[in-house]
Amino acid sequence: MTATAEKNTTVATTTKTDTALVTKQGTTTIADTVVQKIAGLAAREVTGVHALGGGAARALSAIRDRIPGASASVGQGVSVEVGEKQAAVDLQILVEYGVAIADLARAVRRNVITAIEQMTGLEVVEVNINVNDVHIPGDDDEPVTSDRVQ
């Protein structure tokens, strides 16, 4: 004996088009670089993050810092994809030695999501974090010695 039951399927359609960025009065578009800078600044605010970016990017940044009038890029080590309503972020970070990386990643993720969503109205769907190095105090703090007489 087989029983077949028909399901009543009701498809609800919503015509709500008003969001923070898309309204009846117009559309607001946010550039990738804006979200990239917000994410970079928010990630750097978290204690335990020493720097952002891979080794080559950090080396170029160190050179740029020595040029008068040049400024470091706040978007270094940050990649973003921005749509009309959503954003995704990829971060490369250098952590301080001794910091619990899992806890740090949670704190960075929370801070980045909060900053982007509050400032832009975009929904952050993911924040991927790649820890590519550990900063050991004293590694780059050593004075440069010279054989020249001063």
Side-chain angles (χ1 to χ4, degrees):
M1 176 181 211
T2 61
T4 59
E6 277 189 39
K7 290 184 179 178
N8 277 340
T9 321
T10 306
V11 178
T13 59
T14 57
T15 58
K16 181 181 177 193
T17 58
D18 282 2
T19 65
L21 300 173
V22 180
T23 66
K24 293 176 186 172
Q25 289 81 27
T27 302
T28 302
T29 304
I30 299 174
D32 291 6
T33 55
V34 172
V35 176
Q36 183 183 28
K37 287 180 181 183
I38 293 169
L41 291 169
R44 284 178 177 84
E45 289 175 350
V46 179
T47 303
V49 174
H50 181 74
L52 270 68
R58 288 195 317 271
L60 288 173
S61 179
I63 293 169
R64 189 183 311 115
D65 287 344
R66 293 188 178 135
I67 299 172
S71 60
S73 171
V74 294
Q76 174 184 307
V78 183
S79 301
V80 299
E81 290 182 36
V82 180
E84 286 183 15
K85 299 176 186 176
Q86 296 178 327
V89 180
D90 293 329
L91 298 170
Q92 291 186 31
I93 66 173
L94 170 70
V95 301
E96 295 287 347
Y97 175 76
V99 174
I101 293 174
D103 294 339
L104 178 66
R106 274 192 291 278
V108 168
R109 191 171 284 114
R110 183 175 44 250
N111 207 43
V112 167
I113 290 170
T114 300
I116 292 172
E117 288 183 348
Q118 285 181 349
M119 291 183 71
T120 67
L122 293 167
E123 175 192 4
V124 179
V125 292
E126 66 181 8
V127 176
N128 300 309
I129 299 173
N130 178 22
V131 178
N132 56 22
D133 205 353
V134 175
H135 176 259
I136 300 170
D139 274 358
D140 55 14
D141 298 336
E142 297 175 13
V144 177
T145 58
S146 174
D147 294 338
R148 298 184 71 195
V149 178
Q150 295 183 6

